[in-house]
Amino acid sequence: MKRSTERILTTHTGSLPREAEIAELLLARERGEPFDDARLDTASRKAIGICIDRQLETGLDVVGDGEQSKPSYVTYVIDRLSGFEGERPHTYPVRLDSADFPEWARQRAPRGLAALRVPTCDGPIAWKDFDAVRREIEQMKTAVAGKTIHEAFLTAASPGVIASMLPNAYYGSDEEYLQALASVMRDEYEAIVEAGFLLQIDCPDLAMSRHSTFSQLDLDGFKRVAAMHVEVLNEAVANIDPERMRMHVCWGNYEGPHNHDVPLHEIAPIVLAARPAGLCIEGSNPRHAHEWKTWREIPLPADKVIVTGCLDTTTNFVEHPELVADRIIRYAEVVGRERVMAGADCGFGTMIGLDGVEPRVAWAKLRSLVEGAELASRQLFKD
């Protein structure tokens, strides 16, 4: 991973607003309508190229494909892996904040899952379309060819978030299911890095699932589960240099009460035990914006980098560059300027059909991120 050695570098957290054509094609596939793979491939190439160009025009340093070809950051695996062919749809558990505030839940709770196929695992996990991974990599290579880019990354779902979103109805235990996922997803992780890209592993299960999938557990029980998820993840990426990886942790990309979110200081030691050198974590979510202080109490290891969320990805406010700069500077003063990169709390297109930030507003927010990083750099790199 790059370090902010001369100025504060900027990036995002995976998904970006999808082009209209690719969004409609993905929705058609989710609805089970007749589908043209060749048309999707063509649309994906076009959308990724546009997305990369837009990021560079905006001024971002570390860029990704925007997850243009995926219906979501995790359910994309059901088209690549066997074990999800059955007819047992998964009913996502009620979030604890939805239970506390049912009126809000009826009116404002996230509805993105309604557009997605979300099955349970009802058979053995194996590759059925590893070519999809190869296509994703090849499309990204084409999109960045000949362009001046600091670094480029591709995202992949962690075993833990897959297990949390697509629960087990086949394996004898949750740990056995996790191990099966890890042994297969290892191929995707390694292929991304071997192609020359950074690997971003999405791990919202380490925080978000405290108030959803594992809401029945007490805090200690949840922390044991989270630690097991990290242990399994580490096994899956054992052959990858930590400097070629970053991981994303969040409490759920939705505007809501979040009053049952697990505090960062409770999970920080678990998160830091993961092998990736980069940690992409929310810093703007109003429930967690104060948690930059956590790194005063829990020192960031010398080999880790924080990609701090300077933009809220659930509202259409365009953050002022000075606010972005303030957020960057807080972290830099605690962990050191070289180990801070400016990013967003989460993605701007995490799920097809998820109501969120209007696309033009999302790009305006990202431009404000770049401007804020420039302001912070002037202060932090005076010498």
Side-chain angles (χ1 to χ4, degrees), residues 13-207:
T13 317
S15 64
L16 292 170
R18 292 173 183 82
E19 293 297 306
E21 182 182 11
I22 193 73
E24 185 51 44
L25 287 170
L26 291 172
L27 279 170
R29 184 169 65 179
E30 295 302 300
R31 293 191 294 256
E33 297 174 3
F35 190 75
D36 185 341
D37 286 325
R39 186 182 172 197
L40 178 64
D41 182 70
T42 300
S44 295
R45 292 175 184 277
K46 179 180 177 181
I48 293 169
I50 292 171
C51 187
I52 292 293
D53 289 344
R54 189 73 180 269
Q55 290 170 71
L56 296 177
E57 290 166 5
T58 301
L60 294 173
D61 297 303
V62 182
V63 301
D65 70 350
E67 298 179 2
Q68 295 291 301
S69 63
K70 295 176 178 176
S72 84
Y73 67 97
V74 56
T75 60
Y76 75 91
V77 301
I78 69 177
D79 294 309
R80 299 182 180 187
L81 305 180
S82 65
F84 301 103
E85 289 84 2
E87 299 298 326
R88 294 185 58 184
H90 169 45
T91 301
Y92 201 69
V94 175
R95 301 177 191 272
L96 291 177
D97 54 2
S98 295
D100 282 353
F101 301 99
E103 297 84 4
W104 164 79
R106 286 194 294 270
Q107 297 176 15
R108 300 292 301 277
R111 298 177 176 85
L113 284 174
L116 296 176
R117 294 167 291 153
V118 188
T120 55
C121 172
D122 58 1
I125 301 295
W127 284 106
K128 66 179 181 182
D129 187 12
F130 191 73
D131 281 344
V133 179
R134 298 188 181 100
R135 285 193 300 272
E136 179 181 21
I137 290 170
E138 192 270 330
Q139 289 168 359
M140 184 64 166
K141 284 184 174 181
T142 300
V144 301
K147 297 180 172 68
T148 302
I149 293 172
H150 278 74
E151 277 185 310
F153 70 95
L154 288 172
T155 63
S158 67
V161 77
I162 299 172
S164 297
M165 185 73 80
L166 307 172
N168 171 43
Y170 174 79
Y171 289 93
S173 68
D174 290 342
E175 186 167 6
E176 185 182 351
Y177 180 35
L178 279 171
Q179 293 287 355
L181 288 167
S183 66
V184 173
M185 291 300 293
R186 174 195 300 265
D187 298 334
E188 180 170 329
Y189 305 153
E190 293 181 356
I192 289 171
V193 174
E194 288 169 3
F197 298 115
L198 286 179
L199 167 65
Q200 177 178 302
I201 306 173
D202 289 320
C203 304
D205 51 297
L206 301 181

Side-chain angles (χ1 to χ4, degrees), residues 4-21:
S4 295
T5 54
E6 299 177 356
R7 60 182 175 84
I8 297 297
L9 298 177
T10 57
T11 187
H12 61 93
T13 317
S15 64
L16 292 170
R18 292 173 183 82
E19 293 297 306
E21 182 182 11

